[in-house]
Amino acid sequence: MDDMSTQPWAWDEQTWRSKVEHVRAGRSMKPAKWKNGARCAVALSFDSDHETNELRDGGKSIGRMSQGQYGNRQGVPRILDALAKYGAKATFFVPAVAALLYEDEQRRVVAEGHEIGIHGWIHELNSQLPYEIERDLMFRAADTLERITGVRPVGLRTPSWDFSPSTLRIERELGLLYDSSLMADDDPYELLERGEPTGIVELPVEWIRDDAVYFNMHRFTGLRPHTPPAAVYDIFYREFERAYEEGGLFLLTMHPHVTGYRSRIWILEKLLEEIARRPDVWVATHAEIAAFVKAECP
């Protein structure tokens, strides 16, 4: 039996406060107005995981890897075509192994004016790794993306959408401009490490604004798609609509191997159509948004 003295209810105040204060949301970096006087900013992101979800789990299912390959063969081309139709720029977070499997895809993404950000090495669960291993994987991932695209990435979305005790330290060592993995606000804020401002901008995610939680399926577990595409569109649109009303940031995460299907890609296309109806919305990459708010809130 575990020693009861080590259980959370037995912690002294210094212990639980230290856990809360390790990584914390600092000052809001929501500007009074966005670039060129825009009322609202839109950050569209695509986590191009492809085969790495299955590879991380051991690479035993050829079927799941084929689903990942769909992201490259159909998902990314459909997404890029939709973005081009509306002149929208976006950010693609790519595990280094996926980038190595599909180098031409990454070059096309960058050539069309989009950003590529770090998303781990092989979609590892970084929040479970010791510092030395997590650091090595993140640095190797950054180097790999730079070699393939010719552009050094300035932002990270952790593959686990979570931080280990070392993640923020590693981001600072990488000299990153922004992170997009945490969930303390709707709008940009500065990350604090043990109360110290880091200068790193957080562009917050949320599972509500992620397609995978509504559509993921795993054959041998109870995980099944439970939300129809029209309902998912309604959730995403309501998030955008309120961000517009509040003059804030609408950040959306989609996956090429999830939303790239014929019956789902319309969600992105319809959102882009609705966003384009409003002339005072700034659609930009995560790097552009992070750089803007950092300049506005030095």
Side-chain angles (χ1 to χ4, degrees):
M1 181 179 293
D2 291 340
D3 183 351
M4 290 293 182
S5 66
T6 66
Q7 296 298 321
W9 59 78
W11 291 342
D12 59 22
E13 183 171 344
Q14 181 180 359
T15 299
W16 56 257
R17 281 192 182 276
S18 69
K19 291 183 179 293
V20 170
E21 296 296 335
H22 187 170
V23 176
R24 197 74 165 155
R27 64 189 174 117
S28 172
M29 300 184 78
K30 176 184 174 182
K33 287 287 185 180
W34 296 93
K35 189 173 182 180
N36 298 324
R39 177 185 179 90
C40 172
V42 170
L44 301 173
S45 55
F46 303 92
D47 290 2
S48 299
D49 301 333
H50 299 343
E51 290 92 335
T52 60
N53 286 311
E54 174 58 25
L55 288 171
R56 174 202 60 209
D57 294 337
K60 297 177 182 178
S61 173
I62 293 173
R64 287 192 71 202
M65 283 193 281
S66 72
Q67 286 180 303
Q69 190 178 13
Y70 186 93
N72 164 258
R73 292 172 68 91
Q74 295 291 344
V76 170
R78 284 183 176 141
I79 288 166
L80 290 174
D81 288 348
L83 294 171
K85 179 179 178 179
Y86 292 95
K89 300 307 177 188
T91 297
F92 291 71
F93 292 98
V94 187
V97 168
L100 288 165
L101 285 168
Y102 304 109
E103 295 192 13
D104 287 345
E105 174 188 293
Q106 317 320 316
R107 296 188 185 105
R108 178 185 172 187
V109 166
V110 170
E112 294 189 14
H114 306 295
E115 175 195 7
I116 289 183
I118 304 166
H119 199 39
W121 178 258
I122 198 167
H123 212 278
E124 64 278 358
L125 298 178
N126 67 287
S127 55
Q128 300 179 10
L129 298 177
Y131 164 74
E132 293 80 7
I133 294 176
E134 185 182 8
R135 184 184 190 278
D136 174 62
L137 293 175
M138 291 301 180
F139 269 78
R140 277 200 283 145
D143 292 343
T144 299
L145 296 178
E146 182 180 22
R147 180 187 64 77
I148 291 171
T149 68
V151 180
R152 184 75 176 176
V154 297
L156 166 69
R157 174 168 293 158
T158 62
S160 64
W161 275 35
D162 203 355
F163 274 22
S164 77
S166 305
T167 304
L168 185 50
R169 173 185 172 186
I170 294 166
E171 289 186 326
R172 299 179 78 176
E173 291 170 351
L174 276 164
L176 296 184
L177 169 65
Y178 74 88
D179 175 80
S180 187
S181 316
L182 301 180
M183 311 180 195
D185 206 317
D186 297 304
D187 298 311
Y189 57 89
E190 183 177 17
L191 287 176
L192 304 180
E193 186 169 25
R194 302 202 182 281
E196 175 193 351
T198 64
I200 294 177
V201 178
E202 179 64 36
L203 301 179
V205 293
E206 226 303 321
W207 295 112
I208 294 169
R209 300 187 305 275
D210 183 308
D211 60 352
V213 300
Y214 305 109
F215 294 137
N216 264 348
M217 186 268 190
H218 195 291
R219 181 181 177 190
F220 298 112
T221 71
L223 183 64
R224 294 291 185 274
H226 62 277
T227 312
V232 175
Y233 170 79
D234 184 66
I235 293 168
F236 291 168
Y237 179 73
R238 288 175 186 270
E239 286 279 325
F240 163 67
E241 190 174 43
R242 182 56 66 91
Y244 181 82
E245 290 174 5
E246 295 178 353
L249 171 68
F250 171 63
L251 189 154
L252 180 66
T253 301
M254 302 178 111
H255 297 75
H257 71 283
V258 174
T259 286
Y261 288 90
R262 292 166 173 164
S263 61
R264 297 175 183 166
I265 191 65
W266 71 268
I267 297 172
L268 173 63
E269 294 167 341
K270 182 65 174 173
L271 278 171
L272 286 166
E273 179 183 343
E274 291 298 327
I275 290 166
R277 291 182 192 276
R278 310 190 190 205
D280 53 351
V281 174
W282 179 40
V283 183
T285 68
H286 287 42
E288 289 171 329
I289 290 172
F292 178 81
V293 301
K294 193 165 185 179
E296 290 291 299
C297 308

